[in-house]
Amino acid sequence: MVITAKIILVLLMLFMVVNLFRALFAMLRNDPTKPSMTKYLGQRVLFSAIAIVLIVILLASGVLVPNPRPY
């Protein structure tokens, strides 16, 4: 279960990076027939919100254990 949760979180992070670069290319292209930059940035925000909610749920349920000594 822990490895599955970590894989899902890594995939969400990769989707965020991919959408960031897609927004960059949409901004540079500036083609009105293609989707705008805000679509990709909105998807990036959505994936990051999902990742944060998933991390909070996994921490609350005890699946993920935070580092007891962060230093």
Side-chain angles (χ1 to χ4, degrees):
M1 180 68 179
V2 174
I3 194 75
T4 306
K6 289 181 180 180
I7 289 172
I8 290 171
L9 287 173
V10 167
L11 288 176
L12 283 171
M13 299 295 171
L14 286 175
F15 285 141
M16 283 185 248
V17 171
V18 166
N19 279 324
L20 186 64
F21 280 106
R22 288 174 73 184
L24 172 71
F25 292 132
M27 179 182 65
L28 293 175
R29 189 177 18 206
N30 199 12
D31 188 6
T33 60
K34 302 279 182 167
S36 68
M37 175 184 65
T38 57
K39 176 187 177 214
Y40 299 119
L41 291 178
Q43 286 178 353
R44 181 176 178 248
V45 170
L46 176 68
F47 286 134
S48 63
I50 291 170
I52 290 171
V53 168
L54 186 62
I55 289 171
V56 169
I57 290 171
L58 291 173
L59 285 173
S61 66
V63 175
L64 291 180
V65 180
N67 189 3
R69 293 188 65 185
Y71 55 88

